[in-house]
């Protein structure tokens, strides 16, 4: 069973609570909005702690060090692909224009024999909770609900 871990940044604005989500890079998600946004996260092996993986993946996906601050455990969810995702929320500000996303390589177009490089996340944005629920990977909406329950 694959496991991922990630960090959900949040901050308070005059319009309410906002969360930072990343749009998944690559050709499969290029024209999608709903279900194509995710918390910055990534897979890890059993010999690495979920917390260490969440911090490592944040830096790999956004090209920025993870923020310091009190981490609020948001627990786990199981996505439709069977992957278990563990997340923490941290209150922080981040300018989406400052990201320098990591990349991945894949064969594209399929069966072409050509390897192409794509950004892990092709854009990052702050969302109010209603809009975030409309675009985030379905199972990850539970993290938003848990954040609201425990948010300072």
């Amino acid at each position: 069973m694959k496991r991922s871990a990630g960090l959900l940044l949040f901050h308070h604005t005059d319009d309410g609570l906002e969360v930072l989500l990343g749009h998944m890079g690559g050709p499969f998600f290029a024209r999608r909005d709903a279900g194509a946004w995710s918390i910055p996260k990534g897979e890890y092996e059993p010999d690495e702690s979920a917390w260490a993986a969440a911090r490592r993946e944040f830096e790999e996906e956004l090209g920025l060090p993870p923020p310091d601050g009190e981490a609020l455990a948001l627990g786990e969810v199981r996505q439709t692909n069977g992957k278990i995702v563990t997340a923490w929320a941290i209150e922080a500000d981040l300018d989406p224009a400052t990201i320098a996303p990591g990349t991945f390589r894949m064969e594209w177009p399929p069966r072409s024999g050509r390897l192409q490089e794509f950004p892990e996340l092709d854009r990052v944005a702050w969302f109010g909770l209603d809009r975030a629920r409309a675009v985030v990977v379905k199972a990850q909406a539970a993290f938003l609900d848990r954040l609201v329950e425990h948010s300072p």
Side-chain angles (χ1 to χ4, degrees):
M1 169 183 345
K2 291 186 178 181
R3 299 185 71 85
S4 282
L7 299 179
L8 176 63
L9 298 193
F10 70 96
H11 65 197
H12 298 275
T13 70
D14 292 341
D15 295 326
L17 190 63
E18 290 185 338
V19 294
L20 186 79
L21 300 176
H23 186 269
M24 292 181 270
F28 297 121
F29 299 101
R31 292 186 176 93
R32 291 183 50 196
D33 198 40
W37 292 81
S38 174
I39 66 169
K41 64 167 185 51
E43 292 182 10
Y44 65 98
E45 298 297 325
D47 62 341
E48 182 179 23
S49 76
W51 172 246
R55 295 182 57 79
R56 175 183 51 75
E57 286 292 336
F58 185 93
E59 187 156 1
E60 285 180 12
E61 294 213 345
L62 300 181
L64 300 169
D68 293 325
E70 185 178 340
L72 173 65
L74 299 176
E76 296 180 340
V77 298
R78 181 183 298 270
Q79 297 184 160
T80 55
N81 63 5
K83 184 183 290 181
I84 304 283
V85 180
T86 305
W88 288 265
I90 297 178
E91 187 168 8
D93 282 315
L94 182 146
D95 179 353
T98 63
I99 71 159
T103 59
F104 69 96
R105 294 171 56 89
M106 67 179 282
E107 182 181 13
W108 190 259
R111 296 177 295 284
S112 67
R114 286 187 21 207
L115 284 179
Q116 293 193 47
E117 197 165 283
F118 299 96
E120 295 271 355
L121 299 174
D122 58 21
R123 60 190 182 275
V124 173
W126 289 99
F127 291 92
L129 293 175
D130 288 342
R131 180 75 180 127
R133 282 187 187 93
V135 298
V136 75
V137 171
K138 189 175 182 178
Q140 293 180 27
F143 293 140
L144 306 178
D145 297 336
R146 295 171 191 166
L147 173 62
V148 169
E149 289 172 16
H150 303 288
S151 179

